[in-house]
Each structure stands twice: as C-alpha cells, then as structure tokens.
Amino acid sequence: MTMHPLRSCFSFLYVVYLLQCKLLFVHCILDPLDFLALQSVRKSLDDMPGSNFFASWDFTSDPCNFAGVYCESDRVIALNLGDPRAGSPGLIGRLDPAIGKLSSLTELSVVPGRIMGSLPQSISQLQDLRFLAISRNFLSGGIPATLGQLRNLKTLDLSYNQLTGDIPRSIGTIPGLSNVILSHNRISGSVPPFLSETLTRLELKHNELSGSISPTSLPPSLQYLSLSWNRLSGPVDLLLIRLDRLNYLDLSMNQFSGCIPSRIFTFPITNLQLQRNSFSGPVQPGGEVTIPTVDLSYNRLSGGVSPMFSTVQNLYLNNNRFIGQVPGSFVDRLMDASIQVLYLQHNYLTGMQINPTVEIPLSSSLCLQYNCMVPPIQTPCPLKAGKQRTRPTAQCNEWRG
C-alpha cells in the first residue's frame, strides 16, 4: 500500500526531529499530533514583507523552541503567531483547521496582519482555551456558534476584522468570560444576554447591531462598556442603574431613548459618552458630579442645567433643549480654570451672569451660541456651531409657549 505523500513527508520530518533530539541528548519529544498540527499551521501562513517570524520554524529541530510556541511536557499550550512588537508587519494567509488538533492549547493569538478567510470551526475543540485574540486582520464570515463550547474561555478578542452575522447566544453562556471585544466588524442582530458574573469588559462598538437591550442582559460586574456606532434603540435606564461598577461608558451614536438615570452620575466613571442618541427629559444628578468628561450632546434633554455639573472638567450639553439661566457656579469654575470645556450652544438658555469684559482663561473653552439670548461674552465656538449667534425669537417663544 502506498503512503500518502503528506504523511510520508511528516513521518520523515518527525524521524529527523527525533534523531536531532537524541544527538543533542535533550528531551524534546513533542506529541505527534501537535507536531503535525504545527506543520499545517505553518503551511497556511507566511511572513509579510519585513517580517521574519517563521525563520525559527525548522521542523528538523524542536518545535517547542519555535518563535511563539510554548510547550508543557510534550504538548503545545500556547501559540502566539507573529512578531508582537509594535509596527511589525504581521502574517498573511489563512488559519488551518488543524489548529483544532492542538488539544492542550490554553492561549491562541495572532498579531495584526492579513489573515483572511473564516475562523476555523475546529477552534471549538480546544476545550482548555482561555485566551483567544485575533484582532486587526481580515477574518470574514460569521462567528461560529460552537465557540460557546469553550467553557474555560476568559478573553475573546476578534476586533477590527470583517466578521458578519450575529453574536451567537452561546457565547453569552460561557460562565467565566471576563473580556469580550468584537468592535469594528460588520456584526448585526441584537446584543445577546451575557451570563458571566466575572465579565468586566464588553466592547461592541462600530458594528451594525440593532434592537433593544434587556435590563437584565448584562451583569453588574461590568467595568467597561462600549456600544457606540451601532443602531441600538430603546430605554436603558433600568439596565444602567444595575451597572454601578462602570468606570467607562460609551453608548454614543445610537438611537437609545428615555431618561438618563441620575444614579449613573455617582458611578466611578472617568468618561461618560451618551451623545447623539434620543435621550429625553430632565437630567438632575443627586450630588456634585466628579466624572472628568461628560458628553450628553445631540439628544432631546430638557429642563434646567443642573449646578451639580459645574464640577465636571469637560462638559458637553450642546444641541439639546435645556432652558433657563446657566447657574452661577459654572461662572466661578470657568474663571478659576476648573472647567476646560463648557459647550452649551444650540439650546434654549436665556442667560448667564458673567461680566462681559472678563477674560476666560486660555485653557478653558466656552460656547453659548444659538440660545434664547445674546451671548454675554464673545468666545470662539467650534465650526459645527454655525455663525448664528442667537436662536430666532419665534423658536424661543414657541418653546416657552
């Protein structure tokens, strides 16, 4: 019976590898299945110009000494494909399904490059996998629902690819997930429930997600939530009040509606991005807001501007429906340069008690353009504010009426 040429080649290289180990008097007997799997991985990938990552991948020597290959006993436990140094060119090709034969793998990563094709279904066979990161490549197709079989997975990063389809609900059932990063793809459908009580980072920005998010679909363990640049809609107040460990929240560039819960301003957030949605109603924090940057611009918020916002360093309330006087506490903070950005343009505000001859500190930016008043002080505004200084009287009367 004639042996298949590939198997014959493998047998020859594996024999050479074993002989090398004996000659060097070292123990380096890698499991044959892992040896064959690494060969298949190598055949499907190449260095991009300027990269020499695969220079050490000589299969007549010990694969456990290859760049990016880490072994324990006779098994490969980690595979980091590509030169991790910043600016390195990366790899080109496809991920061979044989990668699923590395059954002891706990970590699989690929540096940014030109990896194309779909994510192999066989990755779902890696039952010990805890870390899967293949970002900034050209992966296409859907996210395999079978990834939900990776019950030990902690981190899933498939960001900056060309993935389509929805986020499989099975992924949300992985019990110990800590980080899910799927941003900058073409993923559609709704945000599935995530059941992991250890999930701290969920990043789904720049996709095509739509629909509403159930109040109980995200765990209170979340510290970083980014859903910006999607088509998500509906109220989120009942969801947000449960996420009191958040230190970063970006829901911008969606169609979320309803009120912004006052409790959110007590969370340990450093950056609150809720701009360009359809949030409505008054915004009344219960105490001084200590979040450094708050952006509520381009919504339908109404009522007075709360003095509790005067402690915010960068405050964007422009393009809403706020009315009344700007509280005096804002003037005090502006003058001592505590406020760096205060954008109030395109509202229905009627006054601000500030001396017209005063000079705003150079480090501070104030814009009052297009309100129901003549701006008491002339300050440079962003180009998007337009050239019109005041809102037409008819609009102001209509809003008051």
Side-chain angles (χ1 to χ4, degrees):
M1 186 172 66
T2 307
M3 185 177 287
H4 190 279
L6 281 179
R7 185 170 294 277
S8 174
C9 177
F10 161 67
S11 302
F12 172 73
L13 284 173
Y14 194 66
V15 168
V16 171
Y17 158 62
L18 293 178
L19 286 173
Q20 287 280 86
C21 291
K22 284 191 174 184
L23 288 171
L24 295 171
F25 300 101
V26 292
H27 177 77
C28 55
I29 304 176
L30 184 66
D31 184 276
L33 287 177
D34 284 15
F35 189 94
L36 181 59
L38 288 176
Q39 270 199 310
S40 298
V41 168
R42 173 65 186 92
K43 287 174 184 174
S44 66
L45 296 172
D46 277 306
D47 283 306
M48 286 180 64
S51 170
N52 62 350
F53 173 76
F54 282 124
S56 65
W57 282 48
D58 174 4
F59 283 92
T60 62
S61 61
D62 185 3
C64 292
N65 292 326
F66 291 178
V69 176
Y70 302 88
C71 300
E72 190 173 275
S73 185
D74 63 341
R75 306 307 303 268
V76 177
I77 60 167
L79 185 59
N80 306 133
L81 293 169
D83 187 340
R85 291 176 296 183
S88 296
L91 307 176
I92 187 169
R94 296 172 181 268
L95 291 176
D96 193 283
I99 208 162
K101 299 295 184 183
L102 297 169
S103 57
S104 295
L105 211 60
T106 62
E107 180 178 323
L108 173 59
S109 67
V110 182
V111 302
R114 297 189 65 84
I115 305 298
M116 302 180 190
S118 59
L119 194 66
Q121 293 266 359
S122 60
I123 287 178
S124 306
Q125 299 169 18
L126 304 175
Q127 292 298 304
D128 293 330
L129 199 65
R130 295 197 296 266
F131 184 88
L132 175 58
I134 309 173
S135 66
R136 297 180 185 273
N137 276 279
F138 290 83
L139 291 176
S140 57
I143 301 171
T146 50
L147 288 187
Q149 297 171 17
L150 300 175
R151 308 308 285 176
N152 291 305
L153 197 65
K154 307 295 183 189
T155 293
L156 174 64
D157 183 357
L158 301 175
S159 58
Y160 291 89
N161 279 288
Q162 297 175 356
L163 297 169
T164 54
D166 58 7
I167 301 172
R169 291 179 70 88
S170 59
I171 289 176
T173 69
I174 298 174
L177 267 182
S178 297
N179 305 287
V180 176
I181 307 169
L182 301 175
S183 53
H184 290 267
N185 279 286
R186 299 170 186 169
I187 300 168
S188 56
S190 59
V191 177
F194 285 88
L195 306 181
S196 170
E197 295 180 359
T198 58
L199 187 65
T200 57
R201 186 182 188 98
L202 180 60
E203 196 167 337
L204 305 177
K205 65 183 179 183
H206 283 266
N207 276 292
E208 298 170 10
L209 296 166
S210 59
S212 59
I213 304 176
S214 164
T216 57
S217 63
L218 301 181
S221 55
L222 272 177
Q223 297 175 21
Y224 187 107
L225 177 60
S226 178
L227 303 176
S228 63
W229 290 88
N230 280 287
R231 295 196 294 269
L232 296 164
S233 58
V236 289
D237 53 327
L238 296 179
L239 169 71
L240 292 178
I241 59 175
R242 298 176 60 251
L243 306 181
D244 57 1
R245 298 179 202 172
L246 285 173
N247 56 49
Y248 182 92
L249 176 62
D250 187 355
L251 304 183
S252 63
M253 308 297 291
N254 279 287
Q255 299 161 20
F256 290 120
S257 57
C259 66
I260 297 174
S262 58
R263 191 177 168 210
I264 198 174
F265 298 106
T266 66
F267 294 174
I269 296 174
T270 56
N271 199 318
L272 177 61
Q273 305 283 333
L274 300 180
Q275 70 271 23
R276 294 185 183 273
N277 279 284
S278 297
F279 290 116
S280 59
V283 187
Q284 296 294 332
E288 288 189 343
V289 180
T290 57
I291 302 170
T293 297
V294 174
D295 194 341
L296 308 181
S297 63
Y298 293 93
N299 278 288
R300 299 172 184 173
L301 302 170
S302 57
V305 174
S306 170
M308 297 302 173
F309 282 121
S310 64
T311 47
V312 176
Q313 293 174 22
N314 303 289
L315 181 64
Y316 303 85
L317 299 180
N318 54 288
N319 295 80
N320 277 289
R321 300 171 181 176
F322 289 112
I323 60 172
Q325 293 268 331
V326 179
S329 54
F330 282 96
V331 178
D332 298 336
R333 301 276 184 169
L334 268 172
M335 298 316 299
D336 66 16
S338 297
I339 294 178
Q340 295 173 11
V341 176
L342 179 58
Y343 280 0
L344 300 172
Q345 68 269 22
H346 286 256
N347 279 288
Y348 293 81
L349 299 169
T350 52
M352 183 177 190
Q353 297 298 318
I354 187 169
N355 188 332
T357 62
V358 79
E359 289 190 10
I360 301 291
L362 291 174
S363 60
S364 299
S365 295
L366 169 67
C367 184
L368 295 169
Q369 212 163 283
Y370 208 72
N371 276 287
C372 296
M373 62 174 171
V374 176
I377 186 170
Q378 296 306 307
T379 54
C381 285
L383 288 174
K384 285 184 180 178
K387 296 181 179 179
Q388 213 167 341
R389 291 179 62 204
T390 60
R391 185 180 285 276
T393 305
Q395 288 186 20
C396 294
N397 291 338
E398 183 183 343
W399 190 247
R400 290 193 193 103

